[in-house]
Every structure is written in C-alpha cells, then in structure tokens.
PDB file of all heavy atoms in Angstrom:
ATOM      1  N   PHE A  23       0.858  -1.182   0.000  1.00  0.00           N
ATOM      2  CA  PHE A  23       0.000   0.000   0.000  1.00  0.00           C
ATOM      3  C   PHE A  23       0.886   1.221   0.000  1.00  0.00           C
ATOM      4  O   PHE A  23       2.035   1.170   0.435  1.00  0.00           O
ATOM      5  CB  PHE A  23      -0.983   0.014   1.186  1.00  0.00           C
ATOM      6  CG  PHE A  23      -0.347  -0.068   2.541  1.00  0.00           C
ATOM      7  CD1 PHE A  23       0.051   1.079   3.214  1.00  0.00           C
ATOM      8  CD2 PHE A  23      -0.153  -1.286   3.161  1.00  0.00           C
ATOM      9  CE1 PHE A  23       0.626   1.009   4.477  1.00  0.00           C
ATOM     10  CE2 PHE A  23       0.428  -1.368   4.424  1.00  0.00           C
ATOM     11  CZ  PHE A  23       0.818  -0.223   5.081  1.00  0.00           C
ATOM     12  N   ASP A  24       0.384   2.308  -0.525  1.00  0.00           N
ATOM     13  CA  ASP A  24       1.113   3.573  -0.583  1.00  0.00           C
ATOM     14  C   ASP A  24       0.067   4.668  -0.691  1.00  0.00           C
ATOM     15  O   ASP A  24      -0.578   4.803  -1.728  1.00  0.00           O
ATOM     16  CB  ASP A  24       2.059   3.600  -1.788  1.00  0.00           C
ATOM     17  CG  ASP A  24       2.954   4.830  -1.808  1.00  0.00           C
ATOM     18  OD1 ASP A  24       2.805   5.700  -0.927  1.00  0.00           O
ATOM     19  OD2 ASP A  24       3.799   4.909  -2.713  1.00  0.00           O
ATOM     20  N   GLU A  25      -0.140   5.403   0.397  1.00  0.00           N
ATOM     21  CA  GLU A  25      -1.184   6.416   0.395  1.00  0.00           C
ATOM     22  C   GLU A  25      -0.891   7.508   1.407  1.00  0.00           C
ATOM     23  O   GLU A  25      -0.027   7.362   2.263  1.00  0.00           O
ATOM     24  CB  GLU A  25      -2.550   5.776   0.693  1.00  0.00           C
ATOM     25  CG  GLU A  25      -2.674   5.227   2.106  1.00  0.00           C
ATOM     26  CD  GLU A  25      -4.011   4.572   2.372  1.00  0.00           C
ATOM     27  OE1 GLU A  25      -4.541   3.917   1.475  1.00  0.00           O
ATOM     28  OE2 GLU A  25      -4.528   4.734   3.485  1.00  0.00           O
ATOM     29  N   MET A  26      -1.625   8.598   1.277  1.00  0.00           N
ATOM     30  CA  MET A  26      -1.610   9.657   2.275  1.00  0.00           C
ATOM     31  C   MET A  26      -2.768   9.381   3.229  1.00  0.00           C
ATOM     32  O   MET A  26      -3.899   9.150   2.792  1.00  0.00           O
ATOM     33  CB  MET A  26      -1.785  11.022   1.632  1.00  0.00           C
ATOM     34  CG  MET A  26      -0.594  11.476   0.813  1.00  0.00           C
ATOM     35  SD  MET A  26       0.934  11.640   1.746  1.00  0.00           S
ATOM     36  CE  MET A  26       0.579  13.034   2.794  1.00  0.00           C
ATOM     37  N   TYR A  27      -2.484   9.367   4.527  1.00  0.00           N
ATOM     38  CA  TYR A  27      -3.518   9.130   5.527  1.00  0.00           C
ATOM     39  C   TYR A  27      -3.231  10.027   6.721  1.00  0.00           C
ATOM     40  O   TYR A  27      -2.120  10.014   7.262  1.00  0.00           O
ATOM     41  CB  TYR A  27      -3.534   7.657   5.966  1.00  0.00           C
ATOM     42  CG  TYR A  27      -4.571   7.369   7.015  1.00  0.00           C
ATOM     43  CD1 TYR A  27      -5.907   7.221   6.661  1.00  0.00           C
ATOM     44  CD2 TYR A  27      -4.232   7.288   8.358  1.00  0.00           C
ATOM     45  CE1 TYR A  27      -6.871   6.966   7.622  1.00  0.00           C
ATOM     46  CE2 TYR A  27      -5.185   7.048   9.323  1.00  0.00           C
ATOM     47  CZ  TYR A  27      -6.500   6.891   8.950  1.00  0.00           C
ATOM     48  OH  TYR A  27      -7.459   6.662   9.909  1.00  0.00           O
ATOM     49  N   GLY A  28      -4.184  10.807   7.124  1.00  0.00           N
ATOM     50  CA  GLY A  28      -4.019  11.697   8.271  1.00  0.00           C
ATOM     51  C   GLY A  28      -2.884  12.688   8.096  1.00  0.00           C
ATOM     52  O   GLY A  28      -2.220  13.043   9.065  1.00  0.00           O
ATOM     53  N   GLY A  29      -2.632  13.099   6.854  1.00  0.00           N
ATOM     54  CA  GLY A  29      -1.567  14.041   6.583  1.00  0.00           C
ATOM     55  C   GLY A  29      -0.179  13.412   6.536  1.00  0.00           C
ATOM     56  O   GLY A  29       0.821  14.117   6.506  1.00  0.00           O
ATOM     57  N   ARG A  30      -0.108  12.093   6.542  1.00  0.00           N
ATOM     58  CA  ARG A  30       1.175  11.385   6.515  1.00  0.00           C
ATOM     59  C   ARG A  30       1.196  10.401   5.358  1.00  0.00           C
ATOM     60  O   ARG A  30       0.168   9.861   4.977  1.00  0.00           O
ATOM     61  CB  ARG A  30       1.399  10.619   7.806  1.00  0.00           C
ATOM     62  CG  ARG A  30       1.392  11.524   9.014  1.00  0.00           C
ATOM     63  CD  ARG A  30       1.597  10.689  10.243  1.00  0.00           C
ATOM     64  NE  ARG A  30       1.496  11.516  11.427  1.00  0.00           N
ATOM     65  CZ  ARG A  30       2.545  11.907  12.131  1.00  0.00           C
ATOM     66  NH1 ARG A  30       3.752  11.581  11.755  1.00  0.00           N
ATOM     67  NH2 ARG A  30       2.372  12.629  13.202  1.00  0.00           N
ATOM     68  N   ARG A  31       2.394  10.168   4.847  1.00  0.00           N
ATOM     69  CA  ARG A  31       2.538   9.169   3.785  1.00  0.00           C
ATOM     70  C   ARG A  31       2.825   7.828   4.447  1.00  0.00           C
ATOM     71  O   ARG A  31       3.804   7.686   5.181  1.00  0.00           O
ATOM     72  CB  ARG A  31       3.673   9.530   2.848  1.00  0.00           C
ATOM     73  CG  ARG A  31       3.785   8.509   1.726  1.00  0.00           C
ATOM     74  CD  ARG A  31       4.749   8.920   0.680  1.00  0.00           C
ATOM     75  NE  ARG A  31       4.724   7.943  -0.395  1.00  0.00           N
ATOM     76  CZ  ARG A  31       5.727   7.748  -1.200  1.00  0.00           C
ATOM     77  NH1 ARG A  31       6.826   8.467  -1.093  1.00  0.00           N
ATOM     78  NH2 ARG A  31       5.640   6.835  -2.147  1.00  0.00           N
ATOM     79  N   ILE A  32       1.944   6.870   4.196  1.00  0.00           N
ATOM     80  CA  ILE A  32       2.152   5.529   4.729  1.00  0.00           C
ATOM     81  C   ILE A  32       2.384   4.576   3.570  1.00  0.00           C
ATOM     82  O   ILE A  32       1.723   4.655   2.535  1.00  0.00           O
ATOM     83  CB  ILE A  32       0.978   5.075   5.627  1.00  0.00           C
ATOM     84  CG1 ILE A  32      -0.343   5.069   4.874  1.00  0.00           C
ATOM     85  CG2 ILE A  32       0.893   5.944   6.870  1.00  0.00           C
ATOM     86  CD1 ILE A  32      -1.496   4.488   5.668  1.00  0.00           C
ATOM     87  N   ARG A  33       3.362   3.702   3.739  1.00  0.00           N
ATOM     88  CA  ARG A  33       3.705   2.718   2.719  1.00  0.00           C
ATOM     89  C   ARG A  33       3.860   1.368   3.388  1.00  0.00           C
ATOM     90  O   ARG A  33       4.278   1.278   4.545  1.00  0.00           O
ATOM     91  CB  ARG A  33       5.021   3.084   2.031  1.00  0.00           C
ATOM     92  CG  ARG A  33       4.949   4.378   1.264  1.00  0.00           C
ATOM     93  CD  ARG A  33       6.260   4.731   0.617  1.00  0.00           C
ATOM     94  NE  ARG A  33       6.674   3.646  -0.263  1.00  0.00           N
ATOM     95  CZ  ARG A  33       7.937   3.340  -0.525  1.00  0.00           C
ATOM     96  NH1 ARG A  33       8.906   4.021   0.023  1.00  0.00           N
ATOM     97  NH2 ARG A  33       8.225   2.351  -1.327  1.00  0.00           N
ATOM     98  N   GLY A  34       3.554   0.325   2.641  1.00  0.00           N
ATOM     99  CA  GLY A  34       3.731  -1.019   3.158  1.00  0.00           C
ATOM    100  C   GLY A  34       4.060  -1.980   2.032  1.00  0.00           C
ATOM    101  O   GLY A  34       3.694  -1.753   0.881  1.00  0.00           O
ATOM    102  N   PHE A  35       4.753  -3.050   2.381  1.00  0.00           N
ATOM    103  CA  PHE A  35       5.114  -4.076   1.409  1.00  0.00           C
ATOM    104  C   PHE A  35       5.568  -5.317   2.158  1.00  0.00           C
ATOM    105  O   PHE A  35       5.735  -5.298   3.379  1.00  0.00           O
ATOM    106  CB  PHE A  35       6.219  -3.574   0.463  1.00  0.00           C
ATOM    107  CG  PHE A  35       7.394  -2.943   1.160  1.00  0.00           C
ATOM    108  CD1 PHE A  35       8.490  -3.700   1.536  1.00  0.00           C
ATOM    109  CD2 PHE A  35       7.386  -1.589   1.452  1.00  0.00           C
ATOM    110  CE1 PHE A  35       9.563  -3.120   2.191  1.00  0.00           C
ATOM    111  CE2 PHE A  35       8.462  -0.999   2.105  1.00  0.00           C
ATOM    112  CZ  PHE A  35       9.555  -1.775   2.478  1.00  0.00           C
ATOM    113  N   SER A  36       5.776  -6.399   1.436  1.00  0.00           N
ATOM    114  CA  SER A  36       6.273  -7.631   2.030  1.00  0.00           C
ATOM    115  C   SER A  36       7.778  -7.536   2.202  1.00  0.00           C
ATOM    116  O   SER A  36       8.497  -7.206   1.265  1.00  0.00           O
ATOM    117  CB  SER A  36       5.944  -8.829   1.147  1.00  0.00           C
ATOM    118  OG  SER A  36       4.562  -9.041   1.105  1.00  0.00           O
ATOM    119  N   GLY A  37       8.236  -7.826   3.396  1.00  0.00           N
ATOM    120  CA  GLY A  37       9.661  -7.784   3.681  1.00  0.00           C
ATOM    121  C   GLY A  37      10.261  -9.177   3.669  1.00  0.00           C
ATOM    122  O   GLY A  37       9.686 -10.115   3.100  1.00  0.00           O
ATOM    123  N   PRO A  38      11.391  -9.355   4.326  1.00  0.00           N
ATOM    124  CA  PRO A  38      12.042 -10.666   4.385  1.00  0.00           C
ATOM    125  C   PRO A  38      11.129 -11.715   5.007  1.00  0.00           C
ATOM    126  O   PRO A  38      10.471 -11.459   6.010  1.00  0.00           O
ATOM    127  CB  PRO A  38      13.265 -10.419   5.280  1.00  0.00           C
ATOM    128  CG  PRO A  38      13.484  -8.947   5.252  1.00  0.00           C
ATOM    129  CD  PRO A  38      12.147  -8.331   5.020  1.00  0.00           C
ATOM    130  N   GLY A  39      11.075 -12.848   4.387  1.00  0.00           N
ATOM    131  CA  GLY A  39      10.234 -13.935   4.891  1.00  0.00           C
ATOM    132  C   GLY A  39       8.749 -13.676   4.738  1.00  0.00           C
ATOM    133  O   GLY A  39       7.943 -14.359   5.350  1.00  0.00           O
ATOM    134  N   GLY A  40       8.369 -12.669   3.955  1.00  0.00           N
ATOM    135  CA  GLY A  40       6.959 -12.363   3.757  1.00  0.00           C
ATOM    136  C   GLY A  40       6.340 -11.557   4.876  1.00  0.00           C
ATOM    137  O   GLY A  40       5.134 -11.331   4.882  1.00  0.00           O
ATOM    138  N   ARG A  41       7.153 -11.133   5.851  1.00  0.00           N
ATOM    139  CA  ARG A  41       6.618 -10.325   6.948  1.00  0.00           C
ATOM    140  C   ARG A  41       6.303  -8.919   6.439  1.00  0.00           C
ATOM    141  O   ARG A  41       7.035  -8.381   5.613  1.00  0.00           O
ATOM    142  CB  ARG A  41       7.628 -10.248   8.087  1.00  0.00           C
ATOM    143  CG  ARG A  41       7.741 -11.549   8.864  1.00  0.00           C
ATOM    144  CD  ARG A  41       8.642 -11.387  10.075  1.00  0.00           C
ATOM    145  NE  ARG A  41      10.018 -11.096   9.728  1.00  0.00           N
ATOM    146  CZ  ARG A  41      10.944 -12.021   9.511  1.00  0.00           C
ATOM    147  NH1 ARG A  41      10.628 -13.288   9.609  1.00  0.00           N
ATOM    148  NH2 ARG A  41      12.174 -11.679   9.195  1.00  0.00           N
ATOM    149  N   PRO A  42       5.238  -8.305   6.967  1.00  0.00           N
ATOM    150  CA  PRO A  42       4.884  -6.964   6.501  1.00  0.00           C
ATOM    151  C   PRO A  42       5.870  -5.907   6.998  1.00  0.00           C
ATOM    152  O   PRO A  42       6.359  -5.976   8.123  1.00  0.00           O
ATOM    153  CB  PRO A  42       3.496  -6.733   7.090  1.00  0.00           C
ATOM    154  CG  PRO A  42       3.449  -7.603   8.294  1.00  0.00           C
ATOM    155  CD  PRO A  42       4.291  -8.805   7.970  1.00  0.00           C
ATOM    156  N   VAL A  43       6.163  -4.955   6.132  1.00  0.00           N
ATOM    157  CA  VAL A  43       6.989  -3.812   6.476  1.00  0.00           C
ATOM    158  C   VAL A  43       6.115  -2.576   6.277  1.00  0.00           C
ATOM    159  O   VAL A  43       5.465  -2.446   5.245  1.00  0.00           O
ATOM    160  CB  VAL A  43       8.239  -3.727   5.566  1.00  0.00           C
ATOM    161  CG1 VAL A  43       9.014  -2.453   5.833  1.00  0.00           C
ATOM    162  CG2 VAL A  43       9.109  -4.955   5.752  1.00  0.00           C
ATOM    163  N   ALA A  44       6.082  -1.694   7.266  1.00  0.00           N
ATOM    164  CA  ALA A  44       5.284  -0.471   7.167  1.00  0.00           C
ATOM    165  C   ALA A  44       6.177   0.729   7.455  1.00  0.00           C
ATOM    166  O   ALA A  44       7.053   0.678   8.319  1.00  0.00           O
ATOM    167  CB  ALA A  44       4.121  -0.508   8.149  1.00  0.00           C
ATOM    168  N   LEU A  45       5.960   1.802   6.709  1.00  0.00           N
ATOM    169  CA  LEU A  45       6.698   3.048   6.896  1.00  0.00           C
ATOM    170  C   LEU A  45       5.700   4.181   7.079  1.00  0.00           C
ATOM    171  O   LEU A  45       4.711   4.265   6.348  1.00  0.00           O
ATOM    172  CB  LEU A  45       7.575   3.345   5.677  1.00  0.00           C
ATOM    173  CG  LEU A  45       8.610   2.292   5.301  1.00  0.00           C
ATOM    174  CD1 LEU A  45       9.249   2.632   3.963  1.00  0.00           C
ATOM    175  CD2 LEU A  45       9.665   2.173   6.375  1.00  0.00           C
ATOM    176  N   VAL A  46       5.964   5.045   8.051  1.00  0.00           N
ATOM    177  CA  VAL A  46       5.167   6.243   8.279  1.00  0.00           C
ATOM    178  C   VAL A  46       6.098   7.419   8.057  1.00  0.00           C
ATOM    179  O   VAL A  46       7.075   7.588   8.802  1.00  0.00           O
ATOM    180  CB  VAL A  46       4.573   6.277   9.701  1.00  0.00           C
ATOM    181  CG1 VAL A  46       3.807   7.570   9.929  1.00  0.00           C
ATOM    182  CG2 VAL A  46       3.690   5.063   9.944  1.00  0.00           C
ATOM    183  N   ASP A  47       5.845   8.202   7.028  1.00  0.00           N
ATOM    184  CA  ASP A  47       6.720   9.315   6.649  1.00  0.00           C
ATOM    185  C   ASP A  47       8.170   8.844   6.500  1.00  0.00           C
ATOM    186  O   ASP A  47       9.108   9.519   6.915  1.00  0.00           O
ATOM    187  CB  ASP A  47       6.634  10.455   7.660  1.00  0.00           C
ATOM    188  CG  ASP A  47       5.280  11.151   7.640  1.00  0.00           C
ATOM    189  OD1 ASP A  47       4.622  11.119   6.587  1.00  0.00           O
ATOM    190  OD2 ASP A  47       4.891  11.718   8.681  1.00  0.00           O
ATOM    191  N   GLY A  48       8.352   7.649   5.966  1.00  0.00           N
ATOM    192  CA  GLY A  48       9.687   7.109   5.728  1.00  0.00           C
ATOM    193  C   GLY A  48      10.324   6.427   6.917  1.00  0.00           C
ATOM    194  O   GLY A  48      11.390   5.848   6.798  1.00  0.00           O
ATOM    195  N   ARG A  49       9.700   6.485   8.082  1.00  0.00           N
ATOM    196  CA  ARG A  49      10.245   5.830   9.274  1.00  0.00           C
ATOM    197  C   ARG A  49       9.566   4.489   9.482  1.00  0.00           C
ATOM    198  O   ARG A  49       8.346   4.369   9.360  1.00  0.00           O
ATOM    199  CB  ARG A  49      10.046   6.709  10.505  1.00  0.00           C
ATOM    200  CG  ARG A  49      10.891   7.957  10.449  1.00  0.00           C
ATOM    201  CD  ARG A  49      10.807   8.715  11.723  1.00  0.00           C
ATOM    202  NE  ARG A  49      11.748   9.825  11.690  1.00  0.00           N
ATOM    203  CZ  ARG A  49      12.060  10.540  12.737  1.00  0.00           C
ATOM    204  NH1 ARG A  49      11.506  10.279  13.903  1.00  0.00           N
ATOM    205  NH2 ARG A  49      12.919  11.532  12.635  1.00  0.00           N
ATOM    206  N   PRO A  50      10.331   3.449   9.830  1.00  0.00           N
ATOM    207  CA  PRO A  50       9.747   2.111   9.977  1.00  0.00           C
ATOM    208  C   PRO A  50       8.826   2.015  11.189  1.00  0.00           C
ATOM    209  O   PRO A  50       9.105   2.562  12.250  1.00  0.00           O
ATOM    210  CB  PRO A  50      10.958   1.198  10.134  1.00  0.00           C
ATOM    211  CG  PRO A  50      12.071   2.083  10.558  1.00  0.00           C
ATOM    212  CD  PRO A  50      11.775   3.453  10.037  1.00  0.00           C
ATOM    213  N   LEU A  51       7.734   1.302  10.994  1.00  0.00           N
ATOM    214  CA  LEU A  51       6.778   1.012  12.059  1.00  0.00           C
ATOM    215  C   LEU A  51       6.741  -0.500  12.210  1.00  0.00           C
ATOM    216  O   LEU A  51       6.419  -1.217  11.264  1.00  0.00           O
ATOM    217  CB  LEU A  51       5.385   1.541  11.696  1.00  0.00           C
ATOM    218  CG  LEU A  51       4.253   1.137  12.631  1.00  0.00           C
ATOM    219  CD1 LEU A  51       4.417   1.823  13.983  1.00  0.00           C
ATOM    220  CD2 LEU A  51       2.907   1.488  12.015  1.00  0.00           C
ATOM    221  N   HIS A  52       7.105  -0.986  13.383  1.00  0.00           N
ATOM    222  CA  HIS A  52       7.118  -2.430  13.622  1.00  0.00           C
ATOM    223  C   HIS A  52       5.679  -2.948  13.702  1.00  0.00           C
ATOM    224  O   HIS A  52       4.871  -2.414  14.442  1.00  0.00           O
ATOM    225  CB  HIS A  52       7.869  -2.740  14.913  1.00  0.00           C
ATOM    226  CG  HIS A  52       7.884  -4.182  15.259  1.00  0.00           C
ATOM    227  ND1 HIS A  52       8.488  -5.137  14.475  1.00  0.00           N
ATOM    228  CD2 HIS A  52       7.358  -4.838  16.310  1.00  0.00           C
ATOM    229  CE1 HIS A  52       8.337  -6.321  15.023  1.00  0.00           C
ATOM    230  NE2 HIS A  52       7.659  -6.156  16.142  1.00  0.00           N
ATOM    231  N   LEU A  53       5.378  -3.976  12.933  1.00  0.00           N
ATOM    232  CA  LEU A  53       4.073  -4.623  12.982  1.00  0.00           C
ATOM    233  C   LEU A  53       4.245  -6.039  13.514  1.00  0.00           C
ATOM    234  O   LEU A  53       5.170  -6.752  13.119  1.00  0.00           O
ATOM    235  CB  LEU A  53       3.436  -4.674  11.592  1.00  0.00           C
ATOM    236  CG  LEU A  53       3.081  -3.324  10.975  1.00  0.00           C
ATOM    237  CD1 LEU A  53       2.516  -3.523   9.578  1.00  0.00           C
ATOM    238  CD2 LEU A  53       2.091  -2.577  11.840  1.00  0.00           C
ATOM    239  N   MET A  54       3.371  -6.423  14.406  1.00  0.00           N
ATOM    240  CA  MET A  54       3.419  -7.757  15.001  1.00  0.00           C
ATOM    241  C   MET A  54       2.163  -8.527  14.630  1.00  0.00           C
ATOM    242  O   MET A  54       1.070  -7.964  14.618  1.00  0.00           O
ATOM    243  CB  MET A  54       3.533  -7.648  16.520  1.00  0.00           C
ATOM    244  CG  MET A  54       4.799  -6.963  16.973  1.00  0.00           C
ATOM    245  SD  MET A  54       4.741  -6.465  18.708  1.00  0.00           S
ATOM    246  CE  MET A  54       3.785  -4.956  18.588  1.00  0.00           C
ATOM    247  N   ARG A  55       2.317  -9.791  14.350  1.00  0.00           N
ATOM    248  CA  ARG A  55       1.179 -10.654  14.014  1.00  0.00           C
ATOM    249  C   ARG A  55       0.550 -11.147  15.312  1.00  0.00           C
ATOM    250  O   ARG A  55       1.248 -11.552  16.235  1.00  0.00           O
ATOM    251  CB  ARG A  55       1.677 -11.838  13.171  1.00  0.00           C
ATOM    252  CG  ARG A  55       0.587 -12.695  12.581  1.00  0.00           C
ATOM    253  CD  ARG A  55      -0.079 -11.944  11.459  1.00  0.00           C
ATOM    254  NE  ARG A  55      -1.240 -12.644  10.977  1.00  0.00           N
ATOM    255  CZ  ARG A  55      -1.410 -12.997   9.724  1.00  0.00           C
ATOM    256  NH1 ARG A  55      -0.513 -12.705   8.824  1.00  0.00           N
ATOM    257  NH2 ARG A  55      -2.495 -13.624   9.362  1.00  0.00           N
ATOM    258  N   CYS A  56      -0.758 -11.125  15.386  1.00  0.00           N
ATOM    259  CA  CYS A  56      -1.489 -11.579  16.570  1.00  0.00           C
ATOM    260  C   CYS A  56      -1.957 -13.017  16.371  1.00  0.00           C
ATOM    261  O   CYS A  56      -2.000 -13.527  15.254  1.00  0.00           O
ATOM    262  CB  CYS A  56      -2.717 -10.701  16.810  1.00  0.00           C
ATOM    263  SG  CYS A  56      -2.327  -8.995  17.132  1.00  0.00           S
ATOM    264  N   ALA A  57      -2.333 -13.656  17.464  1.00  0.00           N
ATOM    265  CA  ALA A  57      -2.829 -15.029  17.393  1.00  0.00           C
ATOM    266  C   ALA A  57      -4.116 -15.125  16.588  1.00  0.00           C
ATOM    267  O   ALA A  57      -4.393 -16.151  15.973  1.00  0.00           O
ATOM    268  CB  ALA A  57      -3.055 -15.570  18.808  1.00  0.00           C
ATOM    269  N   ASP A  58      -4.896 -14.032  16.543  1.00  0.00           N
ATOM    270  CA  ASP A  58      -6.157 -14.048  15.793  1.00  0.00           C
ATOM    271  C   ASP A  58      -5.951 -13.791  14.302  1.00  0.00           C
ATOM    272  O   ASP A  58      -6.901 -13.718  13.537  1.00  0.00           O
ATOM    273  CB  ASP A  58      -7.154 -13.050  16.367  1.00  0.00           C
ATOM    274  CG  ASP A  58      -6.711 -11.599  16.209  1.00  0.00           C
ATOM    275  OD1 ASP A  58      -5.611 -11.355  15.670  1.00  0.00           O
ATOM    276  OD2 ASP A  58      -7.476 -10.708  16.620  1.00  0.00           O
ATOM    277  N   GLY A  59      -4.686 -13.621  13.863  1.00  0.00           N
ATOM    278  CA  GLY A  59      -4.400 -13.375  12.453  1.00  0.00           C
ATOM    279  C   GLY A  59      -4.289 -11.914  12.102  1.00  0.00           C
ATOM    280  O   GLY A  59      -3.930 -11.575  10.987  1.00  0.00           O
ATOM    281  N   GLY A  60      -4.589 -11.032  13.058  1.00  0.00           N
ATOM    282  CA  GLY A  60      -4.515  -9.600  12.811  1.00  0.00           C
ATOM    283  C   GLY A  60      -3.124  -9.063  13.092  1.00  0.00           C
ATOM    284  O   GLY A  60      -2.168  -9.822  13.307  1.00  0.00           O
TER     285      GLY A  60
END
C-alpha cells in the first residue's frame, strides 16, 4: 500500500520472509502478528 492518511505518507510491502513492512513518513513502524491473524 502507498497512500496519504491523516496528513502522513504511509507505505507497506512484504519484507524478508513475507513479513509486513510499514513506513510512516519514511520511518519504519514495527508490525506484530497476533494469534487471531490480525
């Protein structure tokens, strides 16, 4: 994904091992997978 949200540019893509990578204004945001799949 790549969009403007709340006045910020957010981007996401699949990283190493298929784990999600998210960036907020170019800074990495750690995402964790939950037991419920979220």
Side-chain angles (χ1 to χ4, degrees):
F23 57 88
D24 186 357
E25 67 181 37
M26 290 299 292
Y27 179 79
R30 301 179 184 256
R31 182 172 184 205
I32 59 174
R33 296 179 57 210
F35 49 91
S36 293
R41 287 186 295 271
V43 174
L45 302 172
V46 177
D47 292 334
R49 292 187 174 191
L51 172 69
H52 178 63
L53 295 178
M54 297 165 280
R55 189 73 188 236
C56 298
D58 66 359

